Amino acid sequence: MRRLWVGNCNSEYMVDRLEELDPREREGTPVVAARMVWLLRDGDALMLPQPVDPSFVAHVGALMGFDPARVDLLVPQDAAVRVLGQEELLRPEFLDRVRKVVAGEIRAYMSDRGIAALASAVGLPGGAVSTFDASGGAELFNSKAVFRALAAGLGVPVPDGAVCATRGDLERALDRLAAPTGAVIVKADRMGGGAGNVLCRTDPTVPPAGAALTLPLGRALDREAILAHTGLATTHAPRGQVVAETYHPHCRSLCLEVLCPAARVGG
């Protein structure tokens, strides 16, 4: 079956306060989206925020066994686009081009509510996007608050931390979480690539790995600046919850890949 792929990295459903995304992260978004070329097969279509070098597509096609002439790469007419948010995906002139290559299956970098709206707009069957994803289900997996809740429920070890919905939550957490290492990392609930992360440290020599910004931690005035940065209010979180965790410098990150082969028929 012909598939429509969508490189909707860093959409408004993936990133809180998209306007605050680091400019370097925004400029790099088309590069991340272009990785989806590796998923193409003959007859597929791929929506991207920016054009891809034809030599790269030819190289991937030779390795993966598809003919570049038999895939459709669609990009917005506006050369300034860096993120395929819902506003870009649903522009009439873009939709008209998509309808000409649309198939029965849609896959996306993130199957968010914008993808559900796109599927409906181009006339894909109702089941092309699951009701779970259309209701924001896939977006849960990009929430640090949800992750901590799931990890706690499953007994998965994570750094000591707190999900903070109010000013008081964060005020109470800062001293406790800073005690082991002298540093706390405060993260926006939904961001990526270190964007939205603030390292709060008593020692200015602590390396800010994984943080886009550093703030001092020690004096009362320092804490006030941290609270102001998050935007937390006394009774709610106008700009979204934040997750504060004890920061452990000089740690090594370990990654694990899992191969999930297709199920064998009759085996």
Side-chain angles (χ1 to χ4, degrees):
M1 178 184 293
R2 189 179 197 196
R3 297 167 298 183
L4 172 64
W5 298 88
V6 185
N8 61 329
C9 320
N10 287 334
S11 73
E12 64 270 41
Y13 299 111
M14 182 177 171
V15 174
D16 279 334
R17 302 187 298 280
L18 189 56
E19 68 279 2
E20 295 184 13
L21 191 65
D22 187 290
R24 294 168 298 178
E25 188 82 7
R26 179 183 286 272
E27 286 300 311
T29 296
V31 177
V32 177
R35 297 173 186 169
M36 296 184 73
V37 170
W38 288 94
L39 303 174
L40 294 175
R41 298 297 179 267
D42 282 346
D44 285 352
L46 171 59
M47 301 173 69
L48 293 170
Q50 288 283 301
V52 181
D53 188 331
S55 63
F56 171 66
V57 180
H59 171 70
V60 175
L63 291 175
M64 302 306 294
F66 69 82
D67 182 353
R70 298 187 61 191
V71 299
D72 290 292
L73 300 179
L74 307 174
V75 298
Q77 294 176 341
D78 184 354
V81 172
R82 294 295 181 271
V83 175
L84 285 184
Q86 188 171 173
E87 181 180 352
E88 298 302 332
L89 291 175
L90 299 182
R91 289 189 185 278
E93 63 274 15
F94 206 9
L95 288 177
D96 288 342
R97 294 160 59 200
V98 175
R99 289 189 184 100
K100 295 176 182 178
V101 300
V102 77
E105 188 176 0
I106 186 168
R107 301 284 185 87
Y109 187 89
M110 174 175 278
S111 187
D112 58 22
R113 286 166 280 173
I115 297 302
L118 173 65
S120 176
V122 298
L124 285 174
V129 176
S130 71
T131 54
F132 177 77
D133 288 347
S135 299
E139 300 161 39
L140 293 173
F141 299 107
N142 196 44
S143 165
K144 299 175 182 68
V146 170
F147 171 79
R148 287 195 65 89
L150 292 175
L154 294 171
V156 176
V158 294
D160 190 14
V163 178
C164 305
T166 69
R167 225 182 127 86
D169 289 341
L170 185 54
E171 283 181 307
R172 288 186 292 273
L174 283 175
D175 285 333
R176 175 176 65 83
L177 297 176
T181 66
V184 179
I185 189 164
V186 179
K187 306 175 180 179
D189 184 37
R190 295 189 309 155
M191 278 286 189
N197 292 355
V198 182
L199 177 60
C200 310
R201 54 190 181 178
T202 55
D203 180 356
T205 65
V206 170
L213 175 70
T214 60
L215 291 174
L217 174 63
R219 303 172 304 160
L221 285 175
D222 296 336
R223 283 163 172 71
E224 186 58 38
I226 295 167
L227 292 164
H229 178 80
T230 64
L232 293 174
T234 305
T235 59
H236 63 296
R239 300 169 62 195
Q241 298 186 111
V242 300
V243 172
E245 295 177 341
T246 298
Y247 183 80
H248 296 272
H250 311 298
C251 288
R252 292 184 177 180
S253 297
L254 300 178
C255 297
L256 176 68
E257 294 185 4
V258 180
L259 175 63
C260 300
R264 294 182 179 179
V265 178

